[in-house]
Each structure stands twice: as structure tokens, then as C-alpha cells.
Amino acid sequence: MKGNYVTIDLALVIEKLVLIIAVTFLVWVAARMIAMADRKWLHPSPGTGVKDISESLFGATPRLLVKAAAVLMLVVSIMISTVIPWGEAVRIGSRNVSLFIARVDIGVLLILAFLWLGIYGGIAQRWSYVKNDRIGALFRFGSLFIACALAMGLAIVPLLMLAASTDLQNIISLQKDAVWNIFYQLPGFLIMLLGTAVLSKPSFTNDGRRIAGAGFGSVNAMYNLTGYVLLFLMGTFITALYLGGYEIPFVSDLALRRRFGVNVLFILQGISFSFKIIMVVAILLWTRRVLERYDESILIRWGWKLIIPAALINLAGTAVVLVA
Amino acid sequence: MGATFILFWILSTLAFAAAMGILVSKKELYSVLSFIVLVFAISGHFILMNAQFLAIVNILVVAGALGVMFLYGLILVRSHRDSEQVKILYMRIAGVIASLLLLIVLTAAVSKASQNEVVLRPGTWIGHVDKIGEELFSRFFVPFVISGLLLLSVLVGTVVIIINREPAPDPKSVTL
């Protein structure tokens, strides 16, 4: 307890916690409002397959667990935002304020870990909402999730080899006024898009019928909103990895900074970053909508037989090119 | 020291509560969830000790992959036997003996641990990803490769075992 711990500023910790709790609370409020609107203006349709309570593993009341899983998924998704750098710096008064919540040298791994934890939310969700063939649904979900998460992990590794860093700030600054990573790593970019589109979808199809996320109530709304939070934040992550993050294309950021100062550059970078994120999120939404049409088993087959080998070949090829 | 001290006690309490939860809870699933909370608390301790890489790998591998494996194992085991608890006397005795042995080993390890304090200042890179990568690929290269080969052989063995089995019973016929 004495010398071998890093001292952490208490104010800093509290600030981060307040920020995360505030955002989580806002999404929760939105979920409640959606649920209220559902109750007021919509009638629950039959055949959504909800309200089946299993007493085998969860005990008598899995409702609490489902809610806990929804909150867990939401918090974990929002935690992704803590390591994404949103801009270079902004000058307030006489000091430069950096625009990320936590700069950790393992930002990429952190995001992957948080993404991976979403599997528990999915398991709890399927366990409580799927009525027949529950084991099949659980295993299909697990298979699909692992295929996507594994492919995404394998797709990021060549990028980390190129950047020689797992710090997102470093990866962005390497692309600054240089060639974006997408031109080196197009297969990785596509795999990330596909994986995010599948993972951020709160409801996979099951027996030709939507399961959770299609019903009503605040938990379902929360699952849907979590899907959108994840979609947006992963879109930001992909932008930072492959599209240069907040870097402004075609002009030199350094020259702009010298000419106009930090704050003007911050605004310009914000516009650039927002534009890129909107583009990526639009592509993601479109991909997600298209993938919804396919059966889960087809997606699993593609994931294991096509995407993961492609990611492996990409990894091996990049390694050979880097060494040779 | 203030924030670190408070965080240390919060994390320790959480870890202890989660460890008790693993033992106490009647349903296996809640045990698995307590296990995940425990892993998170330990990762928090790692972060306090500036071992960020270890913390994240702990979450990614133990909470992510291992916890999911436990969960699916439980689901499969549960679907093949009745929900009543199996309590065999000699298994309990074996469990007690094994736990006592583990306790002895852990106590010996902790009491033999060196009391040297590693002072960490801002700017030191102990426990960071670059440093660990260097160590893994220089000093600990052979153990690293051997453990990789071990995992590969486990994978191949699993495939060999399951590849010539008769097809599993139809999941639809299994009732929970």
C-alpha cells in the first residue's frame, strides 16, 4: 500500500465517474421514455416470444438479471468512449485541455475487452426471452458472437503491427498528414465494419422471428439503445483506427495549427471527425439492416468459414510484407 | 494517497464479496457472474499497481473467454442431468483436502514473497505493453512458445476427440 501504488488524483476519478454515470443515466431515461410511449400509444403485438421465465439456472426471478445485463451492456458500451481521443487539444484560458477521458497505452485492447463483455448481456437476454429451443439459441448466439469478436480482434492485429502501438492517440497521430490506414488495411476495415454491424444488433433473428429488442418495455428499449450506442462508438473507433480520426484530409494540420491557433483547429477537426463518423455510421446502419435479412446460421457459416480465414490471411500477409 | 487508498478498500471489499458470492450462491449461474465481478475487482487492483496490460488481458481472457466457457459448460451439464444437487461424501472430503493444500501453498508463497517495494513514479513503464512485449520475446521466449504449443495441442486434441462422435442429441429434445 505504500510505495508501489500509483497515486491517482481523486478529483480526476470523480470527474470521470460523474461523466460516465451521467451519460448512462441519460440513456436510461431515454429507455424509460420509450417504454412509456410504448405503453401509451402502442399495443404489444402477440408472438414476440417474451415473458418466459426459466427456473433452471437463474432461479425464480431472472427479470432482475435481465435488467442487470441490460445495464451492464450499456455501461460497458459507454466505457468505450473513455479511451477514444475526440480531438487534439482545446485552449481554455492559459492551459491546454486534452480531449480524451483517459489516455491509456492499451486503448485498443480495452475497447476489444469491453466489446467482448457484451456476450454476457446477450446470453442473459436470450436466456430469458427465447421460448423454445433455448440451448440452440444460446449456442448459435455464442458461435456468432465469438466468430465476430475473434475476426475483429484478428483484423486489428495487423494495424497494431503497422502502428507499433496500442495507443489510439499514437495511431491517429501516425496517420496525421500521411496515408490513412485504410489504404494499407482495407480487408481489416471491412471486417471491422461487418463485425460491428452484427455485434451491435441487439436482436438476432431466431426461427424467423425477432426475439428480444422487438418487445416492449424499458429493458427492450435499453437493449436497442445500447445497440445504437455501440454502433456509434464503434464507428468512432473504426474512424480513429482506419480513417485518421480527427485528422483533416488534404491539408496539413500542423500548418493550420500554426496559422490559426489551437481552438480554431479544434473546431475544424471536430467538423472533420463528425463528418467521417457520420459516414461510417451510415454505412454501419445500412450493413446492419441488410444483415438482418439473413438467417443466423448463414451468418455463422460466413463468420467461421469466410471472415476469420480472411482475417488470418490478412494478418499473415501483413506480417510477411512488414518483415520482407 | 487518498484516492488510491479509497479505491484499494472498495476493490478489496468488492473482491471479497464476489468471492463469497461464488461459494454461497445456490445457482451456478450466479456463481459464474460473481466470478466475473471478482475478475473485475482484481483487474482494478492491477490498474492500481500500474499493470494496465495485465488488467485488460485479465478482463479479456478470464472474464471474457473463460467465463463464457464456464457458462456454456454449465448450460450443457445442466441440460443433461436433473436439477437436483449431487452430493457425494468422498467428493466433499476430496474438496476439503484440495482446498487445504491450496491454502498451504498460497500461505507459503505469500510468506516467502520478497518485501522489496517497487517505487512507481509517473513515467515509469513497468507493466506497460511495450515492456511486457520485450520481455516476452526476449527473456521468456521459450516458455511463451511452449505455452502456445500446449494450447495448440489442446485444440487439435479436442477436434480429434469430437470429430468421430455420433451426432449430439437434437437440442430441441433437451428440456431445461
Side-chain angles (χ1 to χ4, degrees):
Chain A
M1 278 303 299
K2 260 176 270 169
N4 53 352
Y5 278 85
V6 185
T7 45
I8 298 169
D9 199 355
L10 185 62
L12 219 63
V13 175
I14 289 174
E15 178 207 324
K16 269 65 169 169
L17 281 179
V18 165
L19 207 66
I20 290 168
I21 290 169
V23 175
T24 314
F25 180 71
L26 280 179
V27 180
W28 180 74
V29 167
R32 296 298 298 184
M33 283 167 71
I34 290 172
M36 276 164 62
D38 280 350
R39 272 200 291 279
K40 202 162 182 182
W41 291 304
L42 294 173
H43 310 286
S45 61
T48 43
V50 295
K51 294 232 173 77
D52 172 56
I53 291 171
S54 155
E55 301 200 354
S56 179
L57 277 178
F58 283 98
T61 51
R63 307 294 300 167
L64 181 72
L65 194 84
V66 176
K67 281 183 184 169
V71 173
L72 174 89
M73 277 176 84
L74 184 59
V75 171
V76 158
S77 305
I78 288 172
M79 288 288 271
I80 290 177
S81 69
T82 54
V83 290
I84 292 174
W86 297 94
E88 209 161 330
V90 62
R91 185 176 283 275
I92 300 171
S94 61
R95 59 186 279 237
N96 277 339
V97 180
S98 45
L99 288 163
F100 41 84
I101 297 181
R103 180 171 183 174
V104 283
D105 65 340
I106 37 148
V108 175
L109 292 175
L110 198 93
I111 290 175
L112 280 183
F114 286 155
L115 189 72
W116 181 260
L117 285 176
I119 194 170
Y120 290 106
I123 288 172
Q125 185 194 16
R126 263 149 206 80
W127 191 271
S128 356
Y129 288 103
V130 177
K131 215 166 193 171
N132 46 6
D133 189 16
R134 186 178 286 127
I135 292 185
L138 279 176
F139 273 81
R140 273 196 299 275
F141 166 71
S143 181
L144 184 55
F145 192 99
I146 291 169
C148 287
L150 195 62
M152 286 166 83
L154 287 172
I156 288 180
V157 172
L159 189 77
L160 302 182
M161 276 155 46
L162 279 177
S165 167
T166 47
D167 187 348
L168 271 174
Q169 194 83 12
N170 278 355
I171 293 173
I172 291 177
S173 52
L174 278 177
Q175 298 174 72
K176 211 180 277 175
D177 305 332
V179 184
W180 289 349
N181 280 333
I182 185 174
F183 296 110
Y184 299 121
Q185 283 294 321
L186 187 61
F189 176 70
L190 296 177
I191 291 168
M192 288 294 287
L193 282 184
L194 276 176
T196 308
V198 175
L199 289 191
S200 66
K201 195 167 66 167
S203 54
F204 298 102
T205 49
N206 182 45
D207 300 336
R209 201 160 62 181
R210 303 278 300 276
I211 47 167
F216 297 92
S218 57
V219 174
N220 283 319
M222 209 184 261
Y223 275 117
N224 272 329
L225 283 172
T226 305
Y228 283 108
V229 168
L230 200 63
L231 192 86
F232 176 77
L233 288 175
M234 286 305 288
T236 315
F237 179 53
I238 292 171
T239 311
L241 282 183
Y242 291 96
L243 297 173
Y246 48 75
E247 195 254 352
I248 306 168
F250 309 121
V251 289
S252 165
D253 284 33
L254 202 64
L256 279 178
R257 181 177 181 173
R258 239 180 250 135
R259 180 131 182 232
F260 297 110
V262 178
N263 279 351
V264 175
L265 182 68
F266 160 67
I267 293 167
L268 290 177
Q269 281 177 341
I271 294 168
S272 160
F273 203 10
S274 314
F275 187 72
K276 287 181 202 169
I277 293 171
I278 288 168
M279 294 291 285
V280 171
V281 168
I283 296 172
L284 279 173
L285 281 171
W286 173 67
T287 320
R288 196 168 82 154
R289 197 82 185 108
V290 171
L291 287 177
E292 247 170 43
R293 304 281 164 200
Y294 289 94
D295 193 64
E296 216 173 9
S297 56
I298 298 173
L299 292 180
I300 293 168
R301 207 175 306 145
W302 286 355
W304 285 100
K305 293 192 174 166
L306 227 74
I307 308 290
I308 289 181
L312 282 172
I313 291 169
N314 182 31
L315 174 59
T318 313
V320 167
V321 169
L322 271 182
V323 171
Chain B
M1 183 53 71
T4 316
F5 189 74
I6 295 167
L7 279 175
F8 174 82
W9 280 107
I10 290 174
L11 287 172
S12 301
T13 318
L14 190 67
F16 187 75
M20 288 309 287
I22 295 175
L23 298 175
V24 169
S25 51
K26 293 268 186 220
K27 297 281 171 188
E28 289 97 329
L29 195 97
Y30 288 113
S31 292
V32 172
L33 294 179
S34 308
F35 171 71
I36 293 155
V37 174
L38 176 66
V39 171
F40 264 84
I42 291 171
S43 282
H45 278 297
F46 282 149
I47 287 175
L48 281 187
M49 288 185 279
N50 207 21
Q52 301 176 354
F53 181 72
L54 213 55
I56 284 304
V57 167
N58 198 26
I59 290 178
L60 195 68
V61 174
V62 182
L66 214 57
V68 169
M69 211 182 65
F70 283 161
L71 203 53
Y72 276 98
L74 279 177
I75 290 166
L76 275 184
V77 169
R78 262 304 166 117
S79 65
H80 285 295
R81 68 171 164 89
D82 293 330
S83 58
E84 60 189 60
Q85 296 283 318
V86 183
K87 286 171 182 165
I88 305 169
L89 187 65
Y90 72 82
M91 274 189 147
R92 283 184 168 188
I93 294 170
V96 169
I97 292 171
S99 313
L100 281 176
L101 285 176
L102 182 67
L103 183 68
I104 291 167
V105 170
L106 284 180
T107 317
V110 170
S111 65
K112 282 277 168 69
S114 67
Q115 299 289 319
N116 296 337
E117 285 193 346
V118 182
V119 181
L120 291 180
R121 297 180 196 86
T124 49
W125 290 91
I126 301 167
H128 282 233
V129 59
D130 314 21
K131 201 79 186 165
I132 286 179
E134 267 177 40
E135 292 285 309
L136 270 186
F137 282 98
S138 56
R139 264 175 71 190
F140 299 100
F141 183 67
V142 175
F144 183 62
V145 170
I146 288 176
S147 55
L149 281 177
L150 193 69
L151 287 175
L152 185 68
S153 64
V154 168
L155 200 66
V156 172
T158 315
V159 172
V160 166
I161 287 173
I162 62 171
I163 205 163
N164 283 327
R165 279 269 182 90
E166 67 270 24
D170 187 12
K172 278 175 188 161
S173 67
V174 177
T175 50
L176 278 185

